[in-house]
Amino acid sequence: MARATARHILVATEAKCNELKAEIEGGADFAEVAKKNSTCPSSRDGGNLGSFGPGQMVKEFDTVVFSAPVNTVQGPVKTQFGYHLLEVTSRQD
């Protein structure tokens, strides 16, 4: 079965999400940006979500996590929780 590890940043608006993505693409550390900005409890661990399989996260997450290139920031991804930046850190298909 497929498994992935990922980290994310959760914010309330698409504009904030795009602003943070630009910071990261400009060289800011993903984990530091997550600690300072993410509203998810995972922010304490740099946005780390650990390891999970298909169907364990919301559908919008699954779609990105099990198809996006590894180590590339994806987003904004809208879910019922808000807007996310996602980075798949490893995946076994």
Side-chain angles (χ1 to χ4, degrees):
M1 178 191 274
R3 298 288 297 170
T5 58
R7 55 189 183 169
H8 82 133
I9 298 169
L10 173 62
V11 294
T13 67
E14 187 173 9
K16 183 66 173 177
C17 208
N18 282 319
E19 178 188 317
L20 297 177
K21 185 175 185 180
E23 281 184 32
I24 294 164
E25 288 174 342
D29 181 67
F30 190 104
E32 288 304 312
V33 173
K35 285 177 185 174
K36 290 178 187 160
N37 297 278
S38 183
T39 60
C40 180
S42 68
S43 65
R44 288 188 301 272
D45 193 24
N48 187 6
L49 296 169
S51 176
F52 52 91
Q56 290 186 271
M57 298 288 180
V58 293
K59 184 173 79 61
E60 298 89 345
F61 256 64
D62 267 11
T63 301
V64 174
V65 168
F66 291 99
S67 66
V70 175
N71 297 319
T72 303
V73 177
Q74 304 294 315
V77 176
K78 187 178 189 313
T79 71
Q80 72 262 36
F81 304 107
Y83 293 87
H84 307 259
L85 292 179
L86 292 170
E87 183 183 33
V88 181
T89 52
S90 71
R91 185 173 57 233
Q92 295 142 0
D93 294 318

